[in-house]
Amino acid sequence: MNHTLVALVEDKPGVLNRVASLFRRRAFNIESLTVGHTDRKGISRMTVVVTSSETDAERVTSHLHKLINVIAVTDLAEAPAVMRDLAMIKVTALPTRRSEIMQLVDVFRARIVDVANDSLIIEITGNEEKIESFVDVLRPFGILEMVRTGIVAMARGSSLIPGSNGNGNGNGNGNGNGGH
Amino acid sequence: MERTGAQIIWECLVHEGVQTVFGYPGGAIMPAYDALLDYPIHHVLVRHEQGAAHMADGYARVSGRVGVAIATSGPGATNLVTGIATAMMDSSPIVCITGQVNSKLIGYDAFQEVDITGITLPITKHNYLVTDVRELTHVLREAFYIARSGRRGPVLVDIAKDVQQALLRDWEYDDRPIQMTGYRPDKSPLTADLQRAAGMIHEAKRPVILAGQGVLLSGAMEELREFAEKTQTPVAMTLLGIGCFPASHPLNLGMMGMHGEAWVNNAIQQSDLLLAMGMRFDDRVTGKLETYATQARKIHFEIDPSEVNKNVRVDSALIGNLRDTLGKLSAHIEACDHADWNDQITDMKGDSAVRDILNLPDNGHLYAAHVLNDLHRHTHGEAVVVSDVGQNQMWAAQYYKHDQPYTYITTGGLGTMGFALPAAIGAKFARPEANVWAIVGDGGFQMTQSELSTAAQEGIKVNIAIINNGYLGMVRQWQEFFFDKRYSATPLRNPDFVKLAEAHSLTGIRVTKRSEVETAVNQAETAEGTVIVEFCVEKEDSVYPMVPNGADLQNMIQRPVRAQEER
Ligand SMILES: Cc1ncc(C[n+]2csc(CCOP(=O)(O)OP(=O)(O)O)c2C)c(N)n1
Ligand SMILES: [Mg+2]
């Protein structure tokens, strides 16, 4: 089973390196890691997916907490969450088979974002299984190229992650190394 | 006020209360060295930057204050690495300041450019690269704060040369409280957890306290003693815990682990409750994990959550500063009586005293155990002992008994040969009134012996006991036990250590018989300046007892009684 962790980190040079170095140093196996801005200046958000059979999510969490530039870490296994991955798939699409592909795109609620003479680029968002089964049905047509963003995730309901509720109160209680 | 970056470095250090720094100059740190002359800080010129880091470390360990090491960019910075890793493994608070090439040149392989923040990422608690002089003050303040708070550790601050040269026209020292959103070192256990732990303590029939360096780092010696006495719980110490509980206390068991006494390890194996206080279940302490204290419930008193359930799964974790935790716990603790259990442990001692080399008839040979035992006697157990690595370290731990905290300093986690001499020099600067003895092997001494010049130049007094067995003794011992006595690369042909002392205009004394030990110790202590006493000990003696690497803790190799009779 996969475990999804969300970390809020200071947006400073070298922070990604610190996180990556920690994972390497402690031999944590990472399924995916994504980083992006948050609504608050100076704070980025990382989504880390680890395979829990190989890597103890609790260890990852406690070591992430120790990094000075990491503000908060939440384990999304503790609450229901929405997980999304985005993929762009370039697939061979000769005129004779194009409508077949477009039907599949409809069924999967994907979108065609580029059309060329003999290929299409399709964008699909969803959880991992949905994307994987979409890739499977496209494979017979000939996949030319594919890119995925890796999982981003958010807990349902009111915010689980201290300090990320957008009220700008960075020093609200409970952020920092709490939760242990 | 108007201040350059170089001046700001020293202004900040003065504000931190720093009086002594250990370092070595070079191109990228020259502006800082120039400014140093105008500040009331004593700079100790080392002979190798590794020595600077170990001195800062030794200074920190005996005083609890942050030690400071300074080096230039490139090779100066990389020479610090072993010392930083040593401090990291043992949670020792040091701040290392390195010069870096001009910020415009960073990334272009400039002369003596090295990515020292990259290199030290996994061996520092945190590190900084400063390329803007306006950040320098708060970075230095954070560095000291991080080094000494929470679980302590080394912090490195790499400062570009142009930052040192830059001028700030309106600089003021910022003494507002430090605010770091990502760093909250002050954790404390929940009352419910304390109550649950108290319940386990009251139920226990065969409890043992495992006291580690956390007791010393948090200053919980009094709290530990009160707890142990109230609950009548025997106390075993880790190597780095030595001194945290008086050796002469009736509840003291002594050192646990690979070279602990057999009854100490057996008590742990038979215990039904382990109270791990400020220790981290290192493999040298547990032996084989699968068979470690299987009957015992475990309560882990620990400041660092990432240590909990790392090697040994525990039943309860009390996260926080140990001293505070013990203070809070005491309200929930009732007096216990474990007379049966303590008697049982006394019985476990069995014939171990008979096997102890101290109790064997004098056969004219000089054993390291004699040296340490006699040194303890003649220094009235009051010396600050700084040991190196190897057999000498274990003999020091076994035979020099410490009643006072912060008097046994050694490199536990990294086991860095060459630590003792520079760390002893650092310790002497932190506690000039103390009688400092470095205990070092003939191998390890030669790794940092150049610091003898530092001691001579500074005119300070440390007493150096070289335990000369003509071997890389601990490795030789493993070769004897586990590699068919094939002595690969362990015999040493040594310099004349007495002449080496004399070459530095220092006193050198050689001891070859047990009867000479006392005179030599007295002579060393009364001589002016640093002294080398070379103890030429039995060459192929081994440290007993011993748990072979990865074996069950109760399966110890004992000193053979027979071997002594043969001699
Ligand atoms: C820097 C370093 N290199 C190698 C080792 C491995 N090692 C551990 S003990 C030891 C032998 C030490 O010999 P010596 O200093 O003479 O001390 P003795 O064991 O003889 O007392 C060695 C080589 C080490 N701990 N540190
Ligand atoms: Mg030796």
Side-chain angles (χ1 to χ4, degrees), chain B residues 286-341:
Chain B
T286 59
K288 189 175 176 180
L289 284 173
E290 291 74 30
T291 56
Y292 178 70
T294 48
Q295 310 163 35
R297 293 207 272 182
K298 286 134 195 141
I299 304 177
H300 202 170
F301 299 67
E302 176 54 58
I303 197 164
D304 176 358
S306 75
E307 289 295 346
V308 172
N309 292 328
K310 186 179 79 173
N311 297 337
V312 170
R313 285 215 80 82
V314 297
D315 301 270
S316 160
L318 301 176
I319 301 295
N321 172 292
L322 179 61
R323 187 175 172 192
D324 298 345
T325 303
L326 282 176
K328 288 183 184 135
L329 181 64
S330 70
H332 305 276
I333 295 294
E334 287 153 26
C336 312
D337 173 30
H338 292 298
D340 287 355
W341 170 230

Side-chain angles (χ1 to χ4, degrees), chain B residues 391 441-443 467-473 492:
Chain B
Q391 295 184 315
D442 44 339
I467 306 298
N468 185 357
N469 52 9
Y471 281 103
L472 299 175
L492 290 169

Side-chain angles (χ1 to χ4, degrees), chain B residues 148-282:
Chain B
R148 68 168 172 257
S149 58
R151 179 174 181 176
R152 297 177 190 177
V155 179
L156 179 134
V157 183
D158 196 24
I159 306 173
K161 188 171 184 179
D162 52 323
V163 170
Q164 300 168 44
Q165 289 164 324
L167 189 68
L168 273 185
R169 298 209 178 279
D170 51 354
W171 182 82
E172 287 303 332
Y173 186 74
D174 174 3
D175 53 9
R176 286 171 298 179
I178 292 176
Q179 288 254 321
M180 298 173 69
T181 38
Y183 182 61
R184 298 285 167 88
D186 41 352
K187 304 177 184 72
S188 56
L190 303 172
T191 309
D193 289 337
L194 290 170
Q195 283 165 342
R196 213 167 70 84
M200 289 163 68
I201 291 163
H202 295 143
E203 283 163 26
K205 297 274 176 290
R206 301 184 305 280
V208 176
I209 292 170
L210 309 177
Q213 195 191 205
V215 178
L216 296 165
L217 289 171
S218 68
M221 290 75 68
E222 264 314 297
E223 288 76 5
L224 167 63
R225 203 168 53 80
E226 274 168 29
F227 178 90
E229 285 172 358
K230 191 166 178 190
T231 60
Q232 284 299 298
T233 306
V235 180
M237 280 175 275
T238 66
L239 177 68
L240 292 186
I242 288 175
C244 78
F245 190 74
S248 57
H249 195 287
L251 287 168
N252 169 49
L253 294 181
M255 185 169 71
M256 65 181 102
M258 184 174 270
H259 292 294
E261 288 293 351
W263 76 82
V264 184
N265 289 336
N266 286 332
I268 291 169
Q269 291 298 69
Q270 292 176 26
S271 161
D272 68 352
L273 178 68
L274 294 181
L275 298 145
M277 301 187 179
M279 57 83 75
R280 59 186 175 86
F281 294 107
D282 183 86

Side-chain angles (χ1 to χ4, degrees), chain B residues 360-396:
Chain B
L360 297 174
D362 191 347
N363 57 7
H365 297 247
L366 181 63
Y367 290 94
H370 295 151
V371 174
L372 270 308
N373 180 70
D374 294 358
L375 182 67
H376 174 261
R377 242 192 12 246
H378 303 310
T379 55
H380 315 289
E382 286 166 359
V384 169
V385 174
V386 185
S387 81
D388 209 71
V389 172
Q391 295 184 315
N392 62 88
Q393 176 183 38
M394 291 302 133
W395 283 317

Side-chain angles (χ1 to χ4, degrees), chain A residues 10 17-18 21 24-26 56 58-59 62-63 65-71 170-171 175-177 180, chain B residues 118 121-122 125-128 146 151 179-185 187 304-306 308-310 313 319:
Chain A
E10 289 179 84
N17 185 23
R18 285 178 199 277
S21 166
R24 179 192 52 76
R25 150 89 174 93
R26 299 278 170 190
D56 179 356
E58 205 183 312
R59 273 191 80 204
S62 60
H63 279 288
H65 268 307
K66 276 175 76 170
L67 294 179
I68 306 285
N69 303 115
V70 171
I71 298 163
N171 290 324
N175 65 356
N177 295 328
H180 264 267
Chain B
L121 205 62
K125 185 170 170 186
H126 195 55
N127 64 23
Y128 295 88
I146 292 170
R151 179 174 181 176
Q179 288 254 321
M180 298 173 69
T181 38
Y183 182 61
R184 298 285 167 88
K187 304 177 184 72
D304 176 358
S306 75
V308 172
N309 292 328
K310 186 179 79 173
R313 285 215 80 82
I319 301 295

